[in-house]
Amino acid sequence: MLQSVNFFTSSFSTLVHIPKPSSTTRPRLTTLVTMGVSATVLLTVLSLLILVDHFALNYARREAQQRLQQLSWQMRDALNGAVRRATGDVQLLSSLPGVRAARSPAEVRQALESLQKTFPDYAWIGLVNPQGVVVAGTQGELEGADVSGRSWFKQGRRALYAGDASSTALAGQKPLSGAEQWRFIDAAGPLMDADGNYRGVLCVRLSWGWMRRLAQTMLAPAGDQQYSADLFVVRGDGTVMLGPPGSEEHQIYSDSLTMARGGASGALKETWADGHSYLTGYARSGNPADPATLSWAILARQPEEQALTGARALERQILLLGAILGAAMALAAAIVTRRLTRPLNELSHTIEARLVTTDALPTLPAIQPVDTFHEAQVLSRALAEMLRNEQHHLDALRGLNEKLESTVAERTREIARKALQLERALGQEQSTQQLLQERAAELRAILDNAHDAFIALDPGGVVRDWNLQAEKLLGWKRSEVIGQPLAAMMLPLPLRRAYERDMRQLAESADGATTVLSRRVELALHNRAGQELPVEVSLAYVPRSSGHLFIAFLHDISERKQLFASMEELALRDTLTGLPNRRALMKTLPEALQRANRSGQSCAVFFLDLDRFKQINDRYGHEEGDELLRQFAQRVRGAVRKTDTVGRLAGDEFIVILEMLANDAAAQEAADKLLPALRQPFTLKTTSVTLSASLGIAVHHPDDPQDIEMLLGRADRAMYRHKQQGIQQRARR
Ligand SMILES: Nc1nc2c(ncn2[C@@H]2O[C@H](COP(=O)(O)OP(=O)(O)OP(=O)(O)O)[C@@H](O)[C@H]2O)c(=O)[nH]1
């Protein structure tokens, strides 16, 4: 039963299609807007931070690299300047008359020492004679020493030369005053007299301490503020000449070194052998083609993290500032949003309050307009208008509801009626179903007890049903054949093809089905043992919704066939003598003629007729006559070959068919043998008789026409002539 619906028990929210607000699951507009604005502000600040951070770091890195590059250039220029000054001083000395035309070593020494005073970092200045022995040296050092093996002496003989002197080169000699750790820069050049004659080699030895001080000055330009960078001066073989503690006298490898050696200058970021990342400025001093210069690499490096210290500090400041700014903006957004959405909130609260209080009231409460800003004003007025409309609709719906209730009641009664009808129909359906089941059981029983075998086939020739009689007749159990193709199981091969063709035709044409199905056909099937079984089949066609069905009743006709065969046998036998009768002879004789034609060997027909047989009948009675006929037949049968045919034509007339004759005379020979045998006495029941028979011969040659009437006629006429001769002979006697 359907329940009627009262619209006026449902709530106002249902009528105006506004679902009741769920404050626990749905966030308020204020919250959403505040969260949205805050998230936007935070995202903006964060993006700005990332961008500023990225650009600040890149800028700081570039700045640091430029500083380091400039540092390497300054060091390079300082080294070049020092070497130029030393070689220039060698040239200056060689041009001084006090040196070129000195009369004593003391005079030379004086000139040398006055030069040393102008630049205290000259550790030693000396003049060497052409043999390589120091003639004069500042403070008398090394005078008399043999320096012919030194590079600067060998190179300085030919042209201006600059090179470094290691401690090993001075091994075994006392260190020069002011020298630092046995390391110097040597500048040497030839000394020529006024006439251009070679007078020896001048050497200026620059202390390494000068270079170290220069490096310190560069790294601490303001004196108290140390620039946290390392300076490397690297000789051509990669050995550090000047560098941070622990690196000197060791070889280094880096990309910047390779670049500097190639003559390039610049700055890059690279990882050094200690695994740290450095920014490195690089440059090369001197010129490899000029022996008066030092072609060394100058590297200025700074750990990347140190180079970016300032940028990192800026990064932290921006982060802090951004966080404060973001929080402030989010707070501001929340305040502004709250103020903006306040009218909407008021409207929402008003509606919620109405929704809660007016559920069961027939009249809807009014909505007060909100005038705070335009959109809220429009919204509140629209809602108020909508509510007025809804009130009209409510009134209309009330009327409709009353109509609907009566309609629903009517429909409910209608449905109850239909349900009752359906129930009855179902009851009928059940009884029909039961009837059908009973019919099916009856049919099954009929089929199983039927005298004939029953087989049902689907359109594909597959067995669908098989009764008990079919099991007995053909040998297969029902369970074995259901679902199997019939033809493959029990039809001989030639029949199977015809069967399949017929099945196809039946399946394709309904007309074909009726023509085939209206007939009874005899078939020879194979049973389970493989024996041939003659059956008479009557077919029926059962159309169904899901594919038609062929049903066949098979009747065993073995007995009928045997009876028919024995009747046919009887019809061809003479009942008195047991010999083939006239009908049989009329079938046998054409076959014998055909065989003669095929084999090419003649055959012959004897026409035999008993002489005066009527008298036997008349004198001794018919029974004795019959007996005589029987014995006569046996005697003829015994006097010819087994392959020859002996038959009784009628009364006392007999026919003998002789086949496979070697020649025409053979027939006569057979007759000559037969006739004497027939003249022997016949012992009957009451008496013994002797008689004769007349015999006519007709020979059929292979090429003769196949005319049995003509052949029998010839034999008959010959017999007649023979009989006439017999009569005449008896008359003469
Ligand atoms: N007992 C007996 N007699 C038969 C049978 N069929 C025919 N006959 C008799 O055989 C006799 C045949 O006689 P015919 O054909 O006149 O000739 P026939 O007496 O032998 O004289 P010819 O042939 O001229 O020598 C008839 O009297 C028939 O009744 C039979 O089945 N049994």
Side-chain angles (χ1 to χ4, degrees), residues 464-614:
R464 294 294 168 211
D465 205 353
W466 186 266
N467 72 351
L468 279 175
Q469 196 57 34
E471 287 186 358
K472 284 179 196 159
L473 182 68
L474 296 163
W476 283 281
K477 291 272 174 211
R478 186 170 186 272
S479 57
E480 292 173 315
V481 293
I482 296 289
Q484 300 297 322
L486 177 87
M489 292 174 66
M490 57 194 76
L491 283 185
L493 200 59
L495 252 179
R496 203 179 299 167
R497 296 220 177 89
Y499 161 84
E500 282 166 355
R501 190 191 57 233
D502 287 349
M503 285 300 281
R504 264 200 308 279
Q505 283 176 357
L506 289 173
E508 286 164 8
S509 130
D511 295 345
T514 50
T515 53
V516 172
L517 299 176
S518 57
R519 285 189 279 131
R520 279 173 177 254
V521 286
E522 285 186 10
L523 291 176
L525 299 180
H526 284 165
N527 64 11
R528 188 173 195 167
Q531 294 159 341
E532 201 170 278
L533 195 68
V535 290
E536 185 181 70
V537 181
S538 56
L539 275 172
Y541 173 82
V542 182
R544 294 190 309 175
S545 56
S546 57
H548 52 264
L549 209 62
F550 295 108
I551 57 173
F553 285 93
L554 278 61
H555 185 70
D556 184 2
I557 53 171
S558 308
E559 284 180 14
R560 190 202 296 173
K561 283 269 178 194
Q562 281 168 10
L563 187 66
F564 184 75
S566 60
M567 281 171 69
E568 206 161 49
E569 173 73 13
L570 279 174
L572 295 172
R573 283 252 161 241
D574 175 45
T575 49
L576 181 67
T577 60
L579 291 177
N581 60 12
R582 168 183 271 276
R583 228 173 124 209
L585 287 170
M586 290 303 114
K587 272 180 77 180
T588 308
L589 193 52
E591 291 167 5
L593 298 188
Q594 280 171 4
R595 276 195 293 275
N597 287 3
R598 277 199 301 273
S599 65
Q601 284 186 293
S602 304
C603 68
V605 175
F606 287 177
F607 202 113
L608 268 171
D609 189 291
L610 268 69
D611 295 333
R612 292 172 294 166
F613 175 64
K614 188 173 178 299

Side-chain angles (χ1 to χ4, degrees), residues 16-34:
V16 295
H17 306 294
I18 300 173
K20 278 199 171 184
S22 168
S23 57
T24 50
T25 53
R26 299 289 169 86
R28 291 201 167 268
L29 179 65
T30 314
T31 315
L32 284 175
V33 174
T34 306

